[in-house]
């Protein structure tokens, strides 16, 4: 399976809308994404905020968008904040880990960042596996950090440094700046 990162396009809005209808993704957007207009707004909101890429795979009908990887909150200490999601039907295939690992390589090489951070809820072991497979080391638990729908959640913080060793199980990529093509880990 080939996994690619590319810029989001306006015609990707139906995929974004479908993704944010998944129960576990509904609270992942900064505002409710319930219409195509909201989904289009989500795509354009990334301009000037950070770098978000559509994660695609090759399918029988050609390229299919299955997720998002992004780096944002760039600041003076050469740090960035990583986020990712994959639509439910494409999960469990190594797509998120491969895309997140490639995003990290891109952020270190192209943006010159030194440290990348991400967090996941402690009750989301799949997201923890994505982070660790992509080379992000756990750094600790932050108690009660997130508040969604009246419930407080603990999160685990992970980080990856530009000086950390490369990830052996994620194959090297063919760089086509600023986007990359690579294979997902089996």
């Amino acid at each position: 399976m080939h996994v690619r990162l590319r810029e989001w396009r306006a015609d990707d809005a139906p995929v974004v809308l479908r993704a944010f209808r998944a129960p576990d993704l509904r609270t992942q957007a900064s505002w409710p994404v319930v219409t195509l207009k909201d989904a289009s707004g989500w795509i354009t909101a990334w301009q000037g905020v950070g770098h978000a890429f559509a994660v695609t795979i090759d399918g029988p009908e050609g390229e299919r968008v299955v997720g998002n990887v992004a780096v944002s909150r760039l600041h003076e200490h050469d740090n960035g904040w990583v986020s990712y999601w994959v639509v439910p039907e494409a999960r469990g295939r190594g797509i998120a880990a491969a895309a997140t690992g490639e995003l990290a390589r891109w952020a270190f090489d192209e943006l010159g960042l030194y440290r990348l951070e991400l967090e996941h809820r402690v009750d989301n072991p799949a997201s923890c596996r994505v982070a660790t497979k992509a080379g992000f080391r756990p750094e600790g638990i932050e108690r009660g950090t997130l508040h969604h729908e009246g419930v407080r959640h603990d999160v685990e913080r992970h980080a990856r440094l530009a000086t950390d060793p490369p990830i052996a199980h994620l194959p090297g990529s063919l760089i086509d700046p600023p986007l990359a093509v690579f294979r997902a880990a089996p």
Side-chain angles (χ1 to χ4, degrees), residues 94 96-106 108-109 116 118 128-138 158-173 182-186:
T100 302
E102 183 55 35
L103 176 76
R105 278 194 286 255
W106 180 83
F108 294 141
D109 295 345
L116 297 174
L118 64 82
C128 187
R129 285 190 300 275
V130 168
T132 56
K133 285 182 180 180
F136 287 75
R137 296 179 187 173
H158 292 249
R160 183 166 170 193
L161 305 180
T163 55
D164 286 344
I167 306 307
H169 66 277
L170 293 177
S173 60
F182 55 98
R183 289 190 175 274

Side-chain angles (χ1 to χ4, degrees), residues 68-170:
N68 175 70
V69 290
V71 60
S72 61
R73 299 185 196 167
L74 310 173
H75 57 77
E76 72 249 13
H77 297 289
D78 300 324
N79 294 351
W81 184 261
V82 172
S83 59
Y84 48 83
W85 53 260
V86 173
V87 294
E89 64 271 17
R91 294 178 185 166
R93 298 165 54 188
I95 294 168
T100 302
E102 183 55 35
L103 176 76
R105 278 194 286 255
W106 180 83
F108 294 141
D109 295 345
E110 300 297 322
L111 297 180
L113 297 180
Y114 178 76
R115 177 181 167 89
L116 297 174
E117 301 174 358
L118 64 82
E119 290 179 344
H120 64 82
R121 289 178 19 181
V122 296
D123 63 351
N124 187 348
S127 190
C128 187
R129 285 190 300 275
V130 168
T132 56
K133 285 182 180 180
F136 287 75
R137 296 179 187 173
E139 293 192 328
I141 304 296
E142 297 177 8
R143 299 176 301 132
T145 298
L146 296 180
H147 187 249
H148 292 298
E149 299 175 350
V151 178
R152 286 262 169 212
H153 300 276
D154 295 348
V155 299
E156 183 172 27
R157 180 178 296 257
H158 292 249
R160 183 166 170 193
L161 305 180
T163 55
D164 286 344
I167 306 307
H169 66 277
L170 293 177

